[in-house]
Amino acid sequence: MSAIAIVDAHVHLYPRAELQSLAWCDEGNPLHSQHSVDEYLDATQGLSKISNQEVRGFIFIETDRKSSLDSEAGWEEPLRELDWIKRIADGTPRPGEGHGPEHAPLCLGIVPWAPIPSGSEAMSRYVHVASSRVGSSWRLVKGFRYLVQDKPPGTMLSKGFIASLKWMGRSGYAFDLGVDVRSGGLWQLREAREMVGNAHQGLPEKEKVVIVISVDHMCKPDLRSRDLNGNPNADAFDGWRLEMSRLAASANVYVKISGGFSEMDTLPNRSEQGAPGSYTRDHLLQDIRNWVERWLKETLMIFGPRRLMWGSDWPVCNIGGGGNEVSWMNWWSLIRAFVADNMTRKDQTDFWSGNALKAYSRGGSQEVEPA
């Protein structure tokens, strides 16, 4: 039986030399170190030992660099991030950056930051500046993300935001939606659902923007809230399920099964996972699966297997996932067991790679669609 390739639909990468440009990562953060392709491959190296699956490549997702909508000067750090991922995609590393020419084929798609709330004219200018800077590697830019999980109510419904989404749809770009139901509240998911409706209202199918709910992830449901029997809190679960069902009414919405560890209670590090014969890693993963099974099954039932994709959320998965030696493998093992029990082999192939390649299949060109 042939191996099922993996396209990791949600990966963040950044070099040591540019740590200060990250808006969220100060010196006390456990992720305050270089996370490049070398470190990513270290995290995935156990795959070949226990499976015939292999990582074909990844979709790079912007890492929330310092930015501003006040002027074009606020675009500089996101543009610098594009310079960085271009070096990976072109196989032209600077010394010490943790990647080489042999890693260039791994970069299958790029989703950079963009000034989406600023409206379609600003988007058009930004893409012109960014594509001119990146050159031929712009072919890999498949969509944009503007992280809304920490933004005030109304951001996604603003005139400029909706105009940008419509421009992206006409121009062939996807939008990575990042909301946080657990920390921010269910209103974010309600607003996201309304945003999708407004962005698609009155448009022909070919002009509708593809909405990819990367959203740390599955819209970051409240996985920590459980009743006395260990089941999901009914209010939290039912509210999330209702809004996800409404969101699924748009056929252009995809969901990434990713980022679960950061939404759960912290997993023990590798050294704490028990001696042989006691509480093993297999026991741990089964307990976690029991914990999240209902959320996973509901997401599968709502969206179906053809609109789900796998993402590691590396290196953020290291927070609560057991550390870089095991976190990527832990999430892969957990989800592999789930999909093996709940999907046909064809659907599994689509889940692990095909759906991501479809969701991020379009991308724009260096010929910018007029605003």
Side-chain angles (χ1 to χ4, degrees), residues 141-162:
V141 174
K142 303 300 183 182
F144 300 102
R145 184 171 86 151
Y146 179 85
L147 201 57
V148 293
Q149 65 183 28
D150 57 350
K151 303 303 186 294
T155 298
M156 289 179 269
L157 302 179
S158 69
K159 183 178 179 181
F161 208 100
I162 298 302

Side-chain angles (χ1 to χ4, degrees), residues 71-83 86 112-115 120-138 141 144 167 173 365-369:
S71 69
E72 293 186 12
W75 302 349
E76 183 53 36
E77 289 301 340
L79 290 172
R80 191 179 174 204
E81 180 170 67
L82 270 171
D83 294 339
K86 168 182 166 61
W113 176 93
S120 56
E121 290 186 7
M123 283 293 295
S124 182
R125 290 198 310 274
Y126 174 78
V127 169
H128 176 75
V129 171
S131 61
S132 299
R133 187 158 171 164
V134 172
S136 62
S137 291
W138 191 257
V141 174
F144 300 102
W167 180 90
Y173 295 106
S365 69
Q366 288 177 267
E367 298 299 321
V368 179
E369 176 76 21

Side-chain angles (χ1 to χ4, degrees), residues 16-17 19 24 36 45 71 107 114 158 171 177 180 184 220 243 252 258 267 272 310 314 333 352 356:
R16 182 181 300 105
L19 288 171
W24 50 273
S36 187
Q45 65 179 345
S71 69
C107 186
S158 69
S171 304
L177 170 66
D180 187 343
K220 283 191 174 180
E243 295 303 329
N252 287 37
S258 58
L267 301 187
E272 300 169 343
W310 186 82
W314 186 91
S333 297
W352 288 111

Side-chain angles (χ1 to χ4, degrees), residues 26 32 39 50 93 129 141 187 250 256 269 289 313 315 318 324 329 350 352:
D26 57 27
H32 190 266
E39 290 78 17
I50 61 174
V129 171
V141 174
W187 69 265
S250 170
K256 295 181 187 178
N269 289 324
R289 179 178 171 183
D313 195 24
N318 293 340
N324 199 58
M329 290 296 302
D350 290 338
W352 288 111

Side-chain angles (χ1 to χ4, degrees), residues 181-182 220-226 232-233 236 240 263 295:
V181 170
R182 182 181 64 81
K220 283 191 174 180
D222 190 358
L223 299 180
R224 301 182 189 185
S225 181
R226 293 175 289 171
N233 174 277
W240 168 85
E263 300 310 303
W295 303 90

Side-chain angles (χ1 to χ4, degrees), residues 59 108-110 138-144 165-175 200 203-212 252 254 355-366 369:
I59 307 296
L108 300 177
I110 300 171
W138 191 257
R139 72 190 187 282
L140 294 172
V141 174
K142 303 300 183 182
F144 300 102
L165 292 179
K166 290 182 176 181
W167 180 90
M168 289 164 62
R170 294 196 307 270
S171 304
Y173 295 106
F175 170 58
H200 288 173
L203 294 180
E205 196 65 33
K206 67 179 181 179
E207 292 187 10
K208 292 181 179 180
V209 64
V210 172
I211 308 292
V212 181
N252 287 37
Y254 291 75
N355 295 342
L357 295 175
K358 180 181 178 183
Y360 292 113
S361 63
R362 296 171 69 194
S365 69
Q366 288 177 267
E369 176 76 21

Side-chain angles (χ1 to χ4, degrees), residues 189-201:
L189 186 47
R190 293 192 186 105
E191 187 168 298
R193 183 251 304 166
E194 190 175 350
M195 173 204 73
V196 174
N198 291 351
H200 288 173
Q201 188 172 17

